Amino acid sequence: SPTCLPLFASLGWGVIQPQLDQNTLLKVQGLFVLYILLEFTRQTSHALPLTFIIFCLLPLALVHGAIFYWISTALSDLMQTLKNRNQLESLGLFERLWTL
């Protein structure tokens, strides 16, 4: 998924911590397994009834929203941590990422 790398970066993986804690890693893995299953169902549901497709699209939209929210809050927290540690060069990079 194209949102996986920004999520890992915004969580600070490889930036302020060499690895993510096990709990966070399990949450990311669970979210992306759910995302892949829902996306697969959406792409292969052309011959299925409209109500089934809607029931697949609604959770997929919620997962997209959850990923966006998680990236936004994690990136904001990471930028605050970089500012507190006076890591201005890294902060500048993530501020540019924030504008995307």
Side-chain angles (χ1 to χ4, degrees), residues 75-85 91:
L75 188 56
S76 178
D77 292 343
L78 176 63
M79 288 175 18
Q80 186 61 43
T81 300
L82 291 172
K83 190 181 295 184
N84 292 342
R85 292 183 180 180
L91 179 62

Side-chain angles (χ1 to χ4, degrees), residues 3-100:
T3 56
C4 191
L5 187 58
L7 179 58
F8 280 130
S10 65
L11 289 170
W13 182 51
V15 179
I16 60 171
Q17 51 188 345
Q19 61 188 23
L20 296 176
D21 64 272
Q22 190 66 25
N23 190 30
T24 301
L25 194 56
L26 287 174
K27 287 179 186 177
V28 171
Q29 289 172 340
L31 185 66
F32 281 101
V33 165
L34 179 63
Y35 174 84
I36 289 168
L37 290 173
L38 290 171
E39 184 64 26
F40 177 77
T41 303
R42 183 192 66 83
Q43 290 181 5
T44 59
S45 63
H46 300 294
L48 298 173
L50 181 61
T51 54
F52 181 77
I53 294 171
I54 290 173
F55 281 118
C56 289
L57 289 178
L58 184 60
L60 187 60
L62 293 173
V63 168
H64 277 275
I67 292 171
F68 176 77
Y69 177 77
W70 198 359
I71 289 173
S72 299
T73 57
L75 188 56
S76 178
D77 292 343
L78 176 63
M79 288 175 18
Q80 186 61 43
T81 300
L82 291 172
K83 190 181 295 184
N84 292 342
R85 292 183 180 180
N86 204 25
Q87 295 181 0
L88 301 179
E89 197 170 310
S90 296
L91 179 62
L93 291 172
F94 281 95
E95 285 175 341
R96 279 185 251 150
L97 178 62
W98 180 261
T99 60
L100 294 177

